Each structure stands twice: as structure tokens, then as C-alpha cells.
Amino acid sequence: MIDRQAFRRSFETMQADLARRNADVIAPESAWGRARALDIKQRDLKVQAEALQAERNRVSKLIGQKKGKGDDASTELAAMGEVSRQVKALETQAKEAEAKFSAVLLEIPNPLHASVPDGNSEDDNVEIRRWGEIRSDNVPAHWDIGTDLGILDFEAGATLAGSRFTVLRGAAARLERALMQFMLNTHVDQHGYDEVWVPAIVNRKTMTGTGQLPKFEDDLYKLEGEDAFLIPTAEVPVTNLYQDQILDASTLPRRHCAYTPCFRREAGSAGRDVRGMIRQHQFDKVELVHLTTVERALSDLEELTGHAEAILQALELPYRLVELCSADIGFSAQKTYDLEVWLPSQKCYREISSCSAFGQFQGRRAGIRYREEGGKPQAVATLNGSALAIGRTLVAILENHWNADGSVTIPAVLQPYMGGMQSIS
RNA sequence: GGAGAGAUGUCUGAGUGGUUGAAGGAGCACGCCUGGAAAGCGUGUGUGUCUUAACGGGCACCGAGGGUUCGAAUCCCUCUCUCUCCGCCA
């Protein structure tokens, strides 16, 4: 959520930052376009209502005093009946206006950080660096590799649940589990993260805190008969771990890692990546989440991204780091780096991690604040990133470590988690 | 799922219609005292929002949302959550 004060004081600046995403974001009929009038109305009604409330409180107190002394208060009582009716009417109007303004604020995306490059589409994302050797020979698609080895069962996934579900068998199932363990252990033991295990179902408030709601309800699985949703990422429950709390600044940064399954309806991606397990309705992911101070809102992003890169390097997977341009950054983020792994069968880089800084955007929405010694509470800065999406990592391993004889070599760091298995054949 | 009890500030714990944003205690901060500390004494110690250049002021908040009333932490309704017992269950 954007800052109300900044919205009033720095309207033009904020509008310019938002417009960099897309001109539609500041169109007159957009949330942003409607916000200013709603704010003015909201404040106007609030001032009126509160003035009358003050009057009511003053006289009511007087009535109490008079009655306490046994004096007659019938004059005041008679006058207050009407005032009270007016107060009630104004209160209702003010509350409605405030609710409308708040609702519209929730639909305005995070203004971009100044360092974000301009662009019109994902094609304008900026490559920062590459790592690893790309193989240039022809490698089959992971769905063929996996099917031939008998470890990926797409038919069973479709039978059990529908399209975009896959059953992992044998070595693939174990590889999935090994990746989970390896990633978590690395983050806990080497990067100093505090591991948490959280619900995969959350309520509406939690989903609003990190920005998935109210705008993107169609992308989520909603539970029938309950106001609850399956999480699309661990970011949601982990960040919201501290919702409506005031943290002591000395306890920041808090850095958590978590494994969760993730559920996405993929509503807008019909026809894309329909084969294989690049784009699934359910996938596993290890997520990193930082809650930190305003000063470190952005600087921690480099560190967090580095932690995700460490996993790719350990798994010997070639990748590149890309900075998303203004048109491609998600609703809640201020700045985002994507890590894209090389997929030899597609001869291109595909997203395997997205690391974002959110500034105080989520902190404000979720009511997560911190206090410096003697200072006023202010919203925490949040960051998060996948490290990594496990299904896509498995895909990348199958393709990048595929051998001409059809087998797949298991990266050395994973072999202990695979019972010493060195390759899948 | 059934029955009952409960939800108050950092914590504990009063408060069943009026000057209560909220007693008392603890904690914490500052000061006094002390060679230093403890004890003791004193003072202070919520959040949000609106307004103001600022000082300050207004309003709201006692789980959430409604209602009754001139006036609600206190009365009524709905919901959420917690605890206990029963049922069910990995």
C-alpha cells in the first residue's frame, strides 16, 4: 500500500513513478485516478463528523456531571437527541468514504524504485550477468527425458487432477525431496536463515497483507464455503507471520526460509508451457523472506539474490541474472531481479527465481511495523525471493545434466540426499 | 461437530452505563539516593487517524462488526479466536 502522507505530499512524483509501469496505471478510471477525489471527500467528512462528535462528547459529559449532582439536564438531553442523530449519519458517511479510499489504495501498485530500467515488455529486461557453461548439443525436452526414464508421469497427473499436474516417480520423487532438503539446509547452515514451517491455507486478510488480494483473486485457489485460499507462495504466510505487530528495531533484520507447496490457477496463461512441468498448478518452492529496516530496504536485495544464486551454482546449473524493467515488475514490488536457468532443450533461459524488494509496501498493508529506540513505529521493509522453485530446478537438472545415453547425472551436492545415487538411468 | 468458560495496555489484573485511554501491581526509561549496586523514593511510559508551519488540539480504539442510549470497556445481536470437557481423527 502506498503511503497516505506521501500520496498527498508527493502526488506528482508518485504518479510519475507509477506511470513508468504502464500508462493505464494512472488513467482517470484507475484506482490511482480515483484516489485523490476519494481522499478529499473522506477527509472532509471526517472533519465534519469529528467536530460534531466532540460536541456530543462535551455535552454528554456535562449531562453526566449534572445528573451526578442531582441537577436537571433536560435542556441538554433534548438538544442532544438531534445532535446524536446527525453524528450517526455523518459517522456512517465518513466511515463509508474512508472505506472506499482505503479500498482504492489497496489496488494501487508499488511505485517503482528509481534504479529500475524503463521498458515496455519483458523483452526490455536487462541482463546483469551470466554464470556457467551452456551446453550447445541437442538435448531432449525434460518431458521426454523424464518419461523415458519412467520418473515423470504426466498421464497420471492428468488422470488424478487434470492438466498442469505431474506425478513424480522413484528417482524424481526422491530428487524433489532431496532438493528441498539441500536448499533448506544450505540457507539455514550457511546463509543463517531461520527456518519456519507455515500453513498452506491462509485467510483473506493475510492474502491482502502481501498484495495478492484484492486485485488478483482470480489467480488463487479459493476454498469452497470459507474465506480462505491456497497460498501461491510461502511469501504470504511467512511475511504475515508478523502482521499487526510492532517489532523492536534491534531484532531486525529477520530472515526466514521456508518450504511450502504453492498453488496457482495460472488463469492468464492458457496455452503457455502446457507440456512438461514448467508451469504447474501445484509446485514446491523454498522461499527466502527478509523483514528489515527502511535503510536496508533495497541493499538486502543483492544479498538475498546471492543466496539464491548459490543454490544454482552448487547444482552446476548455468543461469543469468536479469533485472526486470518497469513494465514487467509485479504489483507489490519496487525492484526485482529474476534468475533464469538455461534450458538446453528450449535453448533459452527460463525463470527459476524471482527476488524482489517491496520497500514498506507490504509492511503497511500487513501492519508490520518496527520501532527504533525512542522513535515512532514505522512500517518494516520486506524482501523475498525463491531459492529456488523446486519443480523447475528438477527440470533444469534433467536437461542440463542429461547424458547422451539417456541417463541424468546427479549433482555432487545432492548425492548424499539421494542415498549416494550418482545418476538416474 | 456438541457443551461450557473466556478475549482489557509490554505483562499481570481491576473495572457491569457517566469526568476511564482505562485503577493497582510488574516491567521498562529517566532522575534522586549510593563508593558502586540492590532496595527505596519521584517522574514518565499505547496505537491509528484528522488538523496545525510548529507547539498543540480533535476523533477513534478495552477480540471484530453491528445495535440500544444524550452517553458503552460496561447492556443486546452476529462473527472470529483461545481454553476445558465430549465426539471424531493422522
Side-chain angles (χ1 to χ4, degrees), chain A residues 147-309:
Chain A
T147 306
D148 288 349
L149 287 169
I151 58 173
L152 297 186
D153 191 341
F154 298 102
E155 283 182 27
T159 303
L160 294 175
S163 66
R164 298 201 193 283
F165 289 93
T166 305
V167 170
L168 308 183
R169 293 180 178 276
R174 185 157 191 177
L175 186 54
E176 183 89 359
R177 183 159 56 86
L179 284 166
M180 212 180 274
Q181 293 273 55
F182 167 68
M183 291 179 193
L184 283 170
N185 285 353
T186 303
H187 298 312
V188 171
D189 296 336
Q190 290 177 32
H191 301 152
Y193 281 80
D194 181 10
E195 183 175 357
V196 289
W197 199 95
V198 294
I201 298 175
V202 300
N203 58 31
R204 181 172 294 273
K205 182 180 179 188
T206 297
M207 211 55 106
T208 305
T210 27
Q212 282 72 22
L213 290 180
K215 270 202 91 170
F216 307 105
E217 187 156 349
D218 289 348
D219 298 332
L220 302 170
Y221 284 103
K222 184 172 189 312
L223 300 199
E224 175 100 35
E226 291 183 56
D227 207 19
F229 305 82
L230 299 185
I231 58 170
T233 160
E235 158 196 354
V236 176
V238 175
T239 307
N240 279 286
L241 225 37
Y242 301 99
Q243 69 175 219
D244 293 324
Q245 290 184 36
I246 301 178
L247 309 171
D248 196 300
S250 65
T251 68
L252 299 179
R254 298 200 183 200
R255 308 192 310 165
H256 289 295
C257 64
Y259 155 77
T260 68
C262 302
F263 303 91
R264 299 184 182 179
R265 292 190 57 206
E266 297 295 343
S269 57
R272 295 180 63 192
D273 302 311
V274 283
R275 288 200 75 180
M277 46 183 293
I278 288 289
R279 194 175 299 272
Q280 302 275 281
H281 287 307
Q282 173 182 348
F283 63 95
D284 293 309
K285 181 158 62 64
V286 168
E287 183 80 2
L288 306 177
V289 174
H290 291 200
L291 286 87
T292 189
T293 59
V294 172
E295 293 72 42
R296 298 178 61 161
L298 205 64
S299 56
D300 276 13
L301 183 59
E302 310 298 327
E303 180 192 67
L304 186 149
T305 306
H307 293 151
E309 287 184 72

Side-chain angles (χ1 to χ4, degrees), chain A residues 25-76:
Chain A
V25 170
I26 59 162
E29 68 277 10
S30 68
W32 172 264
R34 303 196 321 268
R36 198 171 210 177
L38 288 172
D39 184 30
I40 290 166
K41 183 177 180 192
Q42 176 260 139
R43 280 188 288 165
D44 181 51
L45 284 167
K46 204 173 269 181
V47 169
Q48 287 184 50
E50 287 179 2
L52 213 55
Q53 281 174 325
E55 169 68 5
R56 183 195 64 189
N57 291 347
R58 189 183 65 78
V59 178
S60 288
K61 202 169 269 190
L62 193 69
I63 292 170
Q65 286 169 354
K66 282 201 169 188
K67 286 203 164 178
K69 284 187 285 189
D71 293 350
D72 174 55
S74 53
T75 321
E76 287 84 356

